[in-house]
Amino acid sequence: MRGFTVRGVVKLANLVRRQLAGPMTPGGLERLRSHVGEVIEQLDLSLVEQDVRPEAMAPSSRKAYEFLKNVDFASVATSDSAVQDEHYLANVRLPGIKRFCEDIAARLAQQPAEREQVEIHKRICLRLEGIESVMEAQDVRAEHLKDDSRELRAWLALLSRRDAFDRYVSAVGRAKAAFERDDRRLRRFRAPMMVRFMPGRTIYRLRADGPGTRVVLPAPMIAFSDEQFASLADFALHRGPGEAAVVEAMHGAGYQQILAELEALGGPAQQGRGIHHDLGVSFNRVNAEYFSGRLQRCKLVWGESFTMRKFGHYDGIRDTVMVSSSLDRLDVPAFVVDFVIYHELLHRTMGVAYTNGRRAAHTPAFKRQERAFKLFKEAEAVLARLGKAR
């Protein structure tokens, strides 16, 4: 039987992890300790009332609960000179921004006339100005925002530039033409194709929407050429052999430039410093030992869930290594984190092979390189033990 999920406990655990990774004032630490204590007390009481043991929780909730229950606040170093952050427990969501952005994208999917485009662009600029004013008045910074709010704010900031707005409008028309080019081949999904370019991690999303189809694509795809949109449409609609061409285009200069602009406009996100392990330090060790120090540092982040199923992931489009937060523990040796970083950096350096349109990442060559890690067997044993403990 699947365990039950405790709403909010994983989010709180991640907020506490991020806060404890940086310097704190004595007062800030005490407020954090008090808040965590109250949450754990309420959760323990609820478990007793319902006659449920913590082991019955879903793995991610249970791991987050165990982390919060065992935080040693007494050992956390404090400094009176640390910057006091009034939003240390905040995970701020900008109210109404998701609905506003979806409305804008829906209107642009209709390919409005020039006069309406001017009005839409004005609305974007006014909304962005209002968001910035509220954030400034409430002393909310980009790092306080939830990921979805931060990404949508960046999306609005990009479209507030008239050149980017015009590029978006042009891309809608070109993508629509590619997806509707051979409508006789369409089966499940029907024209008209209503194209939206939004923040997201997937290559595409298709959904029946009224008489037609909603096509949601990553925002940086506004940089795609007509030929690249054709490959994407063939892959998305007909499972054609175009995935490799699409991924290559997403690694291209045009896509990466828009992605970099969006990330810069969004502001700083989570960093790689944890409570017990620093991903930056781990990267430096692995880079020096196994890559002769030649690798440029990529983005290094801790995952938002305490998963024991997947300990790492490399996102080649965003050049980001993610490591599971479940490894940021005192009883996890540093070499285990190094091994996960090494594994993901092998993905970064060796890439992905395509054979007859099929994607292969863990090839025999990859596995040979992976076993070159000096403590390969020991690291595998620790990860296997952690996986069984989920």
Side-chain angles (χ1 to χ4, degrees):
M1 184 179 72
R2 293 183 61 186
F4 66 92
T5 299
V6 180
R7 186 175 181 180
V9 69
V10 172
K11 181 175 75 172
L12 176 60
N14 277 300
L15 289 169
V16 172
R17 281 189 60 257
R18 289 197 292 268
Q19 187 65 19
L20 294 182
M24 296 192 68
T25 62
L29 179 63
E30 176 57 28
R31 287 197 299 275
L32 185 64
R33 185 203 61 76
S34 176
H35 180 77
V36 171
E38 290 173 2
V39 171
I40 292 298
E41 183 179 356
Q42 293 171 5
L43 182 52
D44 285 342
L45 180 61
S46 178
L47 291 172
V48 171
E49 290 175 346
Q50 299 180 42
D51 194 24
V52 176
R53 295 179 61 82
E55 290 78 6
M57 296 182 191
S60 59
S61 292
R62 188 180 74 252
K63 292 299 178 184
Y65 166 80
E66 291 171 353
F67 164 78
L68 292 171
K69 198 172 180 75
N70 294 306
V71 173
D72 184 8
F73 288 99
S75 67
V76 177
T78 60
S79 171
D80 291 326
S81 62
V83 177
Q84 189 64 48
D85 190 349
E86 295 300 326
H87 298 278
Y88 74 97
L89 279 179
N91 217 5
V92 181
R93 175 174 278 119
L94 298 173
I97 190 172
K98 182 177 180 181
R99 179 174 294 181
F100 178 83
C101 292
E102 288 179 344
D103 177 63
I104 292 294
R107 290 182 64 182
L108 292 176
Q110 300 283 345
Q111 296 182 284
E114 174 66 26
R115 184 173 180 179
E116 187 177 353
Q117 290 180 30
V118 172
E119 184 268 326
I120 292 173
H121 185 256
K122 184 177 180 180
R123 282 192 65 201
I124 291 173
C125 294
L126 288 174
R127 183 57 178 258
L128 181 64
E129 183 179 338
I131 289 172
E132 299 305 306
S133 296
V134 170
M135 288 180 62
E136 182 178 0
Q138 298 183 3
D139 194 26
V140 174
R141 301 191 300 273
E143 57 264 36
H144 297 141
L145 299 176
K146 288 182 69 68
D147 287 345
D148 56 351
S149 286
R150 190 179 68 253
E151 291 173 356
L152 289 171
R153 171 175 167 262
W155 185 82
L156 288 176
L158 181 71
L159 294 190
S160 69
R161 291 177 11 209
R162 186 66 206 207
D163 63 321
F165 180 88
D166 291 341
R167 197 173 184 183
Y168 182 107
V169 171
S170 171
V172 167
R174 293 185 298 109
K176 179 180 176 67
F179 274 78
E180 293 180 350
R181 179 158 292 129
D182 190 0
D183 58 5
R184 291 172 297 179
R185 294 177 62 196
L186 298 178
R187 295 181 180 178
R188 180 181 174 189
F189 299 105
R190 303 288 183 182
M193 298 290 177
M194 310 304 293
V195 179
R196 306 179 181 197
F197 295 94
M198 301 293 292
R201 298 290 189 272
T202 57
I203 296 179
Y204 65 86
R205 283 183 291 147
L206 302 177
R207 192 181 85 185
D209 190 359
T213 302
R214 181 182 301 184
V215 182
V216 183
L217 306 175
M221 279 188 182
I222 64 174
F224 268 25
S225 66
D226 293 350
E227 181 181 359
Q228 289 165 342
F229 277 131
S231 295
L232 174 62
D234 185 57
F235 171 61
L237 295 173
H238 313 300
R239 304 309 295 174
E243 182 182 8
V246 173
V247 172
E248 182 180 358
M250 294 173 76
H251 281 91
Y255 186 102
Q256 289 295 317
Q257 180 182 353
I258 299 295
L259 180 61
E261 290 180 34
L262 285 167
E263 290 179 345
L265 290 167
Q270 183 182 351
Q271 303 300 311
R273 181 177 172 184
I275 299 175
H276 302 291
H277 299 289
D278 188 324
L279 299 183
V281 173
S282 179
F283 172 87
N284 291 339
R285 283 195 299 261
V286 171
N287 190 24
E289 178 74 23
Y290 298 100
F291 300 97
S292 302
R294 70 178 186 274
L295 298 185
Q296 289 194 350
R297 182 163 167 171
C298 56
K299 300 182 190 71
L300 303 162
V301 300
W302 290 100
E304 288 295 308
S305 64
F306 287 74
T307 178
M308 294 292 193
R309 292 181 179 272
K310 190 172 184 179
F311 293 104
H313 172 70
Y314 175 64
D315 182 342
I317 305 302
R318 289 173 169 77
D319 195 22
T320 300
V321 169
M322 182 279 294
V323 177
S324 172
S325 295
S326 60
L327 298 182
D328 189 21
R329 294 164 39 171
L330 189 60
D331 61 343
V332 173
F335 73 82
V336 175
V337 178
D338 288 359
F339 174 66
V340 174
I341 292 281
Y342 174 69
H343 178 101
E344 302 310 331
L345 291 178
L346 285 181
H347 283 305
R348 186 190 188 204
T349 57
M350 299 183 72
V352 176
Y354 286 89
T355 304
N356 297 324
R358 299 187 65 179
R359 186 176 185 272
H362 296 127
T363 62
F366 179 94
K367 292 180 179 179
R368 283 194 299 272
Q369 286 294 103
E370 184 183 39
R371 286 192 290 273
F373 188 80
K374 290 184 176 179
L375 294 174
F376 172 77
K377 290 183 179 180
E378 292 84 348
E380 285 274 90
V382 173
L383 294 176
R385 173 175 58 79
L386 291 172
K388 289 180 181 178
R390 68 174 185 263

